[in-house]
Amino acid sequence: MNNQDTSSIDLAGQVETGGRKPGPPVRALLYVTALAWSLFQIWIASPLPFWLDVFVVSETQARSIHLAFAVFLAFLAFPAISPMARHRPLAGIFFLLLAAGLFGLALYQFILDIPRAWVFAATGGAVLLAAWPALRPAPANQVPMADWLLGAIAAFCAAYLFLFHQELAQRPGAPTPLDLAIAGCGMALLLEATRRVLGPALMIIALVFLLYTFAGPWMPDMIAHRGASFARAMSQQWLSNEGVFGIALGVSTSFVFLFVLFGALLEKAGAGGYFIRVAFALLGHLRGGPAKAAVVASGMTGMVSGSSIANVVTTGTFTVPLMKRVGFPAHKAGAVEVSSSVNGQLMPPVMGAAAFLMVEYVGIPYVEVVKHAFLPAVISYIALFYIVHLEAMKAGMEGLPRRHESTWQSRLIGFGLTVSGLFILAGATYYGLGWVKTVTGDASTWLIGGLVMAAYLGLLWIACRVPEPHMVDEGHLELPDPRPTLQAGLHYLLPVVVLVWCLVVERLSPGLSAFWAVVFMIFIMVTQRPLMVLFGRPWEDTPDDMSIPVTTRYPGAVLQGLKDLADGMVQGARNMVGIGVATAAAGIIVGTVAMTGIGLAMTDLVEFLSGGNLMLMLLLTAVICLVLGLGLPTTANYIIVATLMAPVIVELGSMHGLLIPLIAAHLFVFYFGIMADVTPPVGLASFAAAAVSRADPIRTGVQAFIYSLRTVTLPFLFVFNTQLLLIGVDSPWQLMLTFMGALTGILMFAAATQGWFLTRSRLHESALLLAAALVMFVPNLLMDRIHPRYDLLPATEIQTVIEAAPGGGHLRLLVEGMDLDGREVARAVMLPLGEPAPPTQRLRQAGLGIMTFGDQVSVSFISFGSPAERLGLEPGWQITEVMVPARRPAPEWFYLPALALLGLIAWRQHRRRDPAVPLSTPR
């Protein structure tokens, strides 16, 4: 392995699992702790605690233990000062000043004879202890005594809710001085753990919000509030489920850990290398093949990865050198890897763990989140693939050579047979298993399990019949044959199939679906090595001499499988340290918003700065999301922007008559929060890719942002055209039309921004391509000029409208009333409706109750945590009118002139590119 590969892997280790390399005893303790964390998470996700009535923990207690593991590993695995830090003592000086302030406050309260003075002294002591390792950093192979103390204290403070759950439940809202001391120390040490694991960005943001909690009376009028006492703030943030131990940490505990563990086990089993080999085998021969393979490999890896940075250094180690080899400049090679890895965070089913948070914040099923996020992510990836193709055409690049060349006809036939075979297999699986469930009833679980086992054994037997394909790297520039490369790891797809089946078909919860997928992965890791030995294929670390009896090689394969399983569990737990502390620290922001009402202040601020202009409001929101997301991991990023900015979009959009579904607002802020990983000067993914490609980080980040302009544009488009989120798409024909229109539009946009279509585009051609792309994306904008999108009906027609609404449809209302601050409000809202049912029942499912008096309809009640509450509706408001889609020509008719314009540009560029056209011919 060369130095570049080594530095990349070291970077991944420092970012994801800590930069320390302690001696064997400490390393063994970290290993056992991480393994215990994974086993605990699998235990609480399984039905075993309830079946056996052993170690049944409540949700709050599980969150407490989850955070205790995370902070303990954070202090032991991550040094106080990163080896890459330039100003080593600054963190220590900051903590010294903070400790001095806390000690001064404690002394002041002691002089005034305030009983809780020692609470501040204890918190100051914890901060002072955290300052010591930062001022006197230890070598990378040592864990100083201060870090042992910090890890133990932080773990105890986090586990306090588990250890004293009964006592705390008996005194809600009345904390004792010991409770407050534990909460104060826990908050300080959580912030320090966040700084160590994730850098200073999230710690500073959380600290600013925490200080804002106390400094409310001294803030400017627009963001001022009453303020909170130390006791109230700590009760909210640490001793309840409204702050650190709130929804975000709950999702991390219930769902995210299992998905991250699933990804780690897949990687350890060999699926990561398999995905990369398959991408190169299928695409490496094309123009700029390594870059196209990087896009696909990063997409497959990012689907189950929780970090764009880890994705960059995992796949980039192989793809970036090969991109440079075929002609990509270093900064463009890094930028392609950044763009594809960051886009992996937008891809269902995991979306950097944000998909599960959206379930809680938006209040819709997980399958609905995946459905809405799917189309934008897919067309964005296809557009990136096209951008890579355009870059290869500009530079005249070629692909990598195949081992056995074949004609394009045979490749086309093979591709068609493969795709059609996959569709046939998927259809046979879906309908066949559905028939089995119908016929066999309760016995279907065992029968389907037997069929999955048979498929696993069959695919594993096929994998043993083909030679092990080599990894494409600078030492192996020859591409492997596609067929054996595909056959060598098809069994890795079975756990993914099980996961998708449980989520989409069985409609199990994300946590339970991930649990069964993890159980299947555990089975694969324990059995695949021994079974391959039995099938006659030795592993790379087993004797190659097949004359050695199977009985001699078999025990070693079993032990190696168990070791791989334990290593995968440890890797999954260590990958979760950053997500665990990030969701806990982001809970501070959520708790502050709940205490202070800063969310309403953000709405007023954005409305004031935008001057009521809707497009300017969206631009300001996008910029704020970019700033808030700088330097943050995906999960914490989404929690912050969703808490602060998603309500702003819905609120201000409704005030201007734009019906923005809540999921569209959350995806809008999520996209721009993710773009912070790309955007200079703090784009962490760009810095990681620059380290791999040995290019300038700023130049890499700028190029990656140019490649990501399609991703920047998409949120604005699906806010104005919600069909891109598959909202209002009611038929297969409409689905196909929406997909093809969006795909054509994104490809035209990519060609315009790259300045190249069939050949280099002239300025006016790029402008026309942009205009045509806009029409393909949002044809409603033109049709709205001709005919209004909605007709207005009296509020008394609401029951009739609900009866006519299809399953999964929406109810659009104009409402007015007075909010909690005494302001008159008039807005449009888009309320999701469930499956067909009586109107009253569908309204109740949406959390809305109504009363009718003559021609007036008012809101009678709003259910807590319902979609109606999330849209900001209040009891007593009047429903003035109901909005129904107008009968008008389909907006998609505007596709025709846009496609005609595209054809004209293609014809002009083809003539300009064709050498047979005389030079004097007008162009």
Side-chain angles (χ1 to χ4, degrees):
M1 183 178 291
N2 58 32
N3 293 332
Q4 181 178 345
D5 295 345
T6 304
S7 65
S8 304
I9 294 172
D10 288 344
L11 176 61
Q14 290 184 1
V15 170
E16 297 297 318
T17 60
R20 275 200 177 123
K21 296 178 175 59
V26 178
R27 195 160 58 242
L29 176 63
L30 290 174
Y31 190 96
V32 171
T33 304
L35 181 60
W37 191 9
S38 288
L39 292 174
F40 165 75
Q41 294 289 158
I42 294 173
W43 173 263
I44 64 173
S46 74
L48 290 176
F50 303 97
W51 290 352
L52 304 176
D53 196 22
V54 175
F55 194 48
V56 179
V57 295
S58 66
E59 188 175 357
T60 301
Q61 291 174 311
R63 297 176 188 180
S64 176
I65 299 173
H66 179 85
L67 183 58
F69 273 114
V71 293
F72 182 75
L73 289 173
F75 280 108
L76 265 62
F78 291 81
I81 299 296
S82 169
M84 297 180 292
R86 296 180 181 178
H87 306 291
R88 298 171 70 88
L90 286 182
I93 294 172
F94 169 77
F95 281 110
L96 279 179
L97 294 175
L98 183 58
L102 288 168
F103 282 130
L105 186 58
L107 180 61
Y108 171 76
Q109 294 201 339
F110 178 76
I111 294 172
L112 295 180
D113 198 24
I114 298 177
R116 292 176 177 173
W118 69 274
V119 171
F120 292 95
T123 306
V127 174
L128 184 61
L129 185 62
W132 179 255
L135 291 171
R136 295 287 301 274
N141 60 350
Q142 293 181 12
V143 179
M145 182 56 66
D147 281 356
W148 286 104
L149 290 174
L150 288 170
I153 296 171
F156 174 76
C157 293
Y160 190 72
L161 271 70
F162 167 71
L163 297 173
F164 300 98
H165 183 70
Q166 293 295 333
E167 292 83 348
L168 291 170
Q170 292 172 5
R171 53 173 186 270
T176 65
L178 178 61
D179 295 341
L180 297 179
I182 293 295
C185 293
M187 292 286 284
L189 296 181
L190 172 61
L191 292 174
E192 166 61 3
T194 304
R195 184 193 66 81
R196 290 187 179 207
V197 179
L198 305 170
L202 181 56
M203 182 205 72
I204 292 173
I205 293 174
L207 193 59
V208 167
F209 274 83
L210 197 58
L211 294 176
Y212 173 73
T213 303
F214 303 111
W218 299 280
M219 291 287 109
D221 289 342
M222 183 172 285
I223 59 173
H225 64 94
R226 292 174 52 192
S229 65
F230 182 81
R232 179 168 177 261
M234 292 302 101
S235 295
Q236 173 96 357
Q237 298 284 12
W238 197 267
L239 303 175
S240 73
N241 289 339
E242 301 296 329
V244 169
F245 297 96
I247 289 176
L249 189 63
V251 172
S252 177
T253 305
S254 304
F255 307 148
V256 178
F257 190 103
L258 290 173
F259 277 88
V260 171
L261 178 60
F262 178 69
L265 292 177
L266 264 179
E267 178 69 28
K268 194 64 181 178
Y274 170 71
F275 290 154
I276 296 174
R277 288 193 298 269
V278 168
F280 272 98
L282 295 178
L283 304 170
H285 66 287
L286 302 175
R287 283 182 178 268
K292 294 174 180 176
V295 172
V296 174
S298 295
M300 291 189 291
T301 304
M303 287 173 66
V304 294
S305 171
S307 168
S308 54
I309 301 168
N311 202 344
V312 165
V313 296
T314 300
T315 59
T317 298
F318 301 99
T319 59
V320 169
L322 291 172
M323 281 190 268
K324 293 167 66 177
R325 185 69 178 259
V326 297
F328 274 88
H331 70 283
K332 288 191 175 182
V336 169
E337 183 58 47
V338 170
S339 300
S340 54
S341 295
V342 170
N343 263 99
Q345 303 300 286
L346 306 176
M347 280 293 292
V350 176
M351 298 167 60
F356 315 112
L357 290 162
M358 286 184 190
V359 171
E360 301 296 329
Y361 284 119
V362 182
I364 60 177
Y366 170 80
V367 175
E368 290 294 310
V369 172
V370 171
K371 183 186 82 171
H372 296 317
F374 181 74
L375 182 57
V378 168
I379 64 173
S380 181
Y381 250 116
I382 295 175
L384 179 59
F385 194 90
Y386 181 57
I387 287 172
V388 168
H389 179 71
L390 294 178
E391 288 283 9
M393 289 183 64
K394 291 179 190 178
M397 298 179 192
E398 298 295 333
L400 296 176
R402 285 188 181 276
R403 179 175 297 180
H404 302 101
E405 289 297 332
S406 58
T407 63
W408 68 267
Q409 293 95 336
S410 63
R411 290 200 296 268
L412 183 62
I413 293 173
F415 176 78
L417 290 176
T418 302
V419 172
S420 60
L422 288 174
F423 276 107
I424 293 172
L425 180 61
T429 302
Y430 180 81
Y431 292 106
L433 293 183
W435 177 80
V436 168
K437 290 179 63 177
T438 303
V439 172
T440 58
D442 294 338
S444 62
T445 301
W446 297 102
L447 184 57
I448 291 174
L451 292 174
V452 172
M453 290 299 105
Y456 169 59
L457 293 174
L459 293 176
L460 205 58
W461 184 85
I462 291 173
C464 293
R465 305 274 74 79
V466 298
E468 176 72 17
H470 63 266
M471 179 66 77
V472 183
D473 55 28
E474 290 185 288
H476 296 84
L477 290 179
E478 190 178 69
L479 295 173
D481 293 331
R483 179 176 295 177
T485 304
L486 277 170
Q487 292 175 340
L490 286 174
H491 59 285
Y492 294 130
L493 301 180
L494 281 177
V496 181
V497 172
V498 170
L499 175 64
V500 174
W501 179 272
C502 292
L503 286 170
V504 178
V505 180
E506 299 293 339
R507 296 296 181 104
L508 300 181
S509 69
L512 193 56
S513 301
F515 167 74
W516 289 117
V518 167
V519 168
F520 191 33
M521 271 308 308
I522 291 173
F523 175 79
I524 287 178
M525 296 195 71
V526 171
T527 60
Q528 69 170 344
R529 285 179 178 268
L531 285 174
M532 282 190 163
V533 170
L534 290 178
F535 291 154
R537 174 178 161 186
W539 283 76
E540 64 276 3
D541 49 3
T542 58
D544 290 331
D545 188 356
M546 299 303 294
S547 62
I548 298 177
V550 171
T551 54
T552 303
R553 291 182 282 121
Y554 188 79
V558 172
L559 292 176
Q560 188 61 43
L562 293 174
K563 183 180 182 301
D564 288 345
L565 173 60
D567 290 346
M569 286 190 172
V570 169
Q571 187 63 38
R574 297 194 67 168
N575 289 346
M576 270 300 300
V577 173
I579 297 177
V581 298
T583 51
I588 298 175
I589 289 97
V590 178
T592 301
V593 171
M595 289 179 66
T596 63
I598 182 64
L600 183 61
M602 292 296 296
T603 302
D604 294 337
L605 178 63
V606 172
E607 185 180 21
F608 172 76
L609 294 176
S610 64
N613 184 283
L614 188 60
M615 183 56 69
L616 187 56
M617 177 269 291
L618 291 174
L619 286 171
L620 282 171
T621 305
V623 171
I624 293 172
C625 291
L626 274 175
V627 173
L628 289 174
L630 292 177
L632 300 183
T634 303
T635 313
N637 187 329
Y638 170 69
I639 294 168
I640 293 173
V641 297
T643 303
L644 288 176
M645 303 311 302
V648 173
I649 295 179
V650 176
E651 178 83 12
L652 294 182
S654 65
M655 289 181 180
H656 294 82
L658 179 63
L659 293 170
I660 303 177
L662 195 55
I663 184 64
H666 278 259
L667 286 173
F668 182 96
V669 299
F670 176 57
Y671 268 56
F672 281 102
I674 288 296
M675 285 306 299
D677 275 351
V678 177
T679 310
V682 194
L684 296 182
S686 297
F687 276 84
V692 177
S693 65
R694 297 179 181 178
D696 177 69
I698 301 299
R699 192 178 183 190
T700 302
V702 170
Q703 187 65 53
F705 187 82
I706 293 173
Y707 287 158
S708 300
L709 284 175
R710 75 210 186 283
T711 309
V712 173
T713 307
L714 274 174
F716 290 97
L717 299 174
F718 61 59
V719 161
F720 289 100
N721 181 14
T722 56
Q723 285 189 338
L724 293 175
L725 303 181
L726 303 184
I727 295 175
V729 177
D730 303 322
S731 65
W733 166 250
Q734 195 173 12
L735 173 62
M736 185 181 71
L737 201 61
T738 300
F739 174 74
M740 295 307 299
L743 180 59
T744 306
I746 198 74
L747 296 181
M748 294 163 72
F749 181 86
T753 55
Q754 292 302 304
W756 190 285
F757 184 31
L758 300 182
T759 185
R760 189 171 301 280
S761 299
R762 292 170 177 169
L763 188 60
H764 69 277
E765 291 174 334
S766 294
L768 290 175
L769 281 173
L770 283 175
L774 181 63
V775 173
M776 297 298 294
F777 271 124
V778 279
N780 279 318
L781 290 182
L782 294 177
M783 184 57 71
D784 290 346
R785 301 279 182 177
I786 301 173
H787 193 290
R789 189 179 304 189
Y790 300 106
D791 291 331
L792 301 179
L793 300 179
T796 51
E797 297 289 327
I798 188 170
Q799 303 274 358
T800 305
V801 173
I802 294 173
E803 285 180 350
H810 291 79
L811 177 65
R812 301 167 179 86
L813 304 172
L814 292 177
V815 298
E816 62 181 30
M818 186 175 294
D819 64 11
L820 296 177
D821 295 319
R823 299 181 302 180
E824 291 291 336
V825 174
R827 66 173 62 163
V829 296
M830 188 173 178
L831 191 67
L833 297 173
E835 295 304 315
T840 305
Q841 182 179 339
R842 298 184 81 176
L843 283 176
R844 191 180 301 113
Q845 291 172 351
L848 178 65
I850 61 173
M851 292 189 300
T852 304
F853 297 99
D855 59 352
Q856 291 188 343
V857 180
S858 61
V859 177
S860 60
F861 69 87
I862 300 293
S863 299
F864 177 76
S866 65
E869 186 200 35
R870 290 183 172 91
L871 290 172
L873 294 175
E874 298 287 348
W877 284 11
Q878 297 295 316
I879 300 175
T880 57
E881 289 174 305
V882 181
M883 306 168 67
V884 296
R887 294 181 177 273
R888 62 177 188 172
E892 286 77 14
W893 284 109
F894 286 104
Y895 286 172
L896 297 179
L899 292 174
L901 182 59
L902 176 64
L904 176 62
I905 296 172
W907 176 72
R908 295 277 299 176
Q909 292 203 0
H910 178 72
R911 284 171 57 84
R912 194 160 68 242
R913 188 182 64 172
D914 191 348
V917 178
L919 293 178
S920 59
T921 302
R923 300 176 181 177

